[in-house]
Amino acid sequence: MTSAHPIGIDFGGTGIKAAAVDLKAGDFASDREKIQTPKPATPAAVSEVFAELVGRFPKSDSPVGVTVPGVVRHGVVHSAANIDPTWIGADADAIFTEALGREVHVVNDADAAGLAEVEFGAAKGQRGLVIVTTLGTGIGSALIHNGILVPNSELGHLEIDGHDAESRAANSTRENEGLSYPVWAERLTTYYRTVERLFSPELIVVGGGVSKSFDQFGPLIDITTPIVPATLRNKAGIIGAALVSSRAGD
């Protein structure tokens, strides 16, 4: 690893992971480092963890990108799923830049994963509108048109049949209700049909940990739009965050 590589940090509700990223190869340029998310995950506590993580890499002034599980506009956090509510209204870009003494840029976690899949993963080379969805505790989403991100889409919160979509179709719901893959695929069909009717995408990419089992449910999703599993898996957030940090000055 050289000091020129940007660092991506994936800030989640249970763990904070970081790696240096080779943006030519679209892969990690170092081993991944991980520290448990502090409780409570306040800005001050998280900044300390970030400083410890970044300190494990060679000294550098290269930029740092950070994913946050919430809505982010101009570096300011506007929602706080699975992190401390004191993040709401916090200028995360400024907080982390001061804490680390180097340029830091924050992005929604699903948006970061989506950018990585378009640049290096399952949607590489795809023109037009790509929608990347992450099926996990909820449903995260990223809209990318010709490589340009439309941020904070939050398509997991579409209202479908009187329900918040992710309350019926997230992977956590499948697990909590003991749904078989065929039954879950019926719910996903309802969800993705709504998405394709509203947005007419060229491609839908399915991410999240369950994407490794895509062959058990993906072929059962009955929609017109091509739908494929993500390929970067748990690397996508870190790679996407580093990508965002490298483009911030463009």
Side-chain angles (χ1 to χ4, degrees):
M1 188 188 75
T2 70
S3 61
H5 292 304
I7 292 174
I9 300 178
D10 193 358
F11 170 24
T14 58
I16 299 174
K17 298 163 288 187
V21 177
D22 182 342
L23 292 179
K24 291 183 178 179
D27 202 353
F28 291 175
S30 71
D31 291 335
R32 188 184 70 169
E33 300 285 346
K34 181 178 180 179
I35 296 176
Q36 284 191 330
T37 302
K39 305 294 182 186
T42 61
V46 170
S47 294
E48 289 184 9
V49 172
F50 282 10
E52 181 178 344
L53 281 171
V54 170
R56 296 180 182 180
F57 300 98
K59 192 171 184 180
S60 167
D61 60 359
S62 60
V64 176
V66 176
T67 74
V68 172
V71 171
V72 177
R73 293 200 297 268
H74 308 294
V76 177
V77 179
H78 291 272
S79 67
N82 301 315
I83 55 176
D84 197 80
T86 54
W87 278 105
I88 297 176
D91 187 338
D93 275 14
I95 290 169
F96 294 144
T97 294
E98 181 178 358
L100 299 182
R102 60 205 286 185
E103 187 177 354
V104 180
H105 296 281
V106 178
V107 61
N108 171 268
D109 52 359
D111 285 342
L115 281 171
E117 288 293 338
V118 167
E119 189 74 17
F120 305 111
K124 184 178 180 179
Q126 176 68 57
R127 303 296 291 171
L129 177 62
V130 175
I131 297 180
V132 179
T133 56
T134 56
L135 303 178
T137 303
I139 298 178
S141 63
L143 274 65
I144 302 99
H145 183 261
N146 291 340
I148 304 299
L149 174 69
V150 181
N152 302 308
S153 54
E154 298 289 324
L155 298 186
H157 297 298
L158 288 173
E159 183 177 319
I160 301 174
D161 297 332
H163 299 278
D164 194 58
E166 66 180 19
S167 72
R168 298 278 295 163
N171 187 48
S172 61
T173 299
R174 178 189 67 83
E175 295 174 333
N176 293 338
E177 296 185 18
L179 302 178
S180 66
Y181 280 121
V183 171
W184 187 45
E186 291 179 6
R187 295 192 183 187
L188 290 173
T189 294
T190 298
Y191 172 68
Y192 286 118
R193 281 181 177 176
T194 301
V195 169
E196 69 176 354
R197 183 175 69 251
L198 291 172
F199 296 97
S200 301
E202 299 291 337
L203 179 69
I204 294 173
V205 178
V206 178
V210 76
S211 63
K212 64 181 180 293
S213 303
F214 184 82
D215 60 341
Q216 298 186 61
F217 65 89
L220 303 176
I221 299 173
D222 185 13
I223 60 175
T224 301
T225 305
I227 184 167
V228 299
T231 57
L232 296 176
R233 304 268 172 86
N234 60 359
K235 292 184 175 183
I238 290 174
I239 293 173
L243 186 64
V244 166
S245 72
S246 72
R247 292 176 171 177
D250 293 348

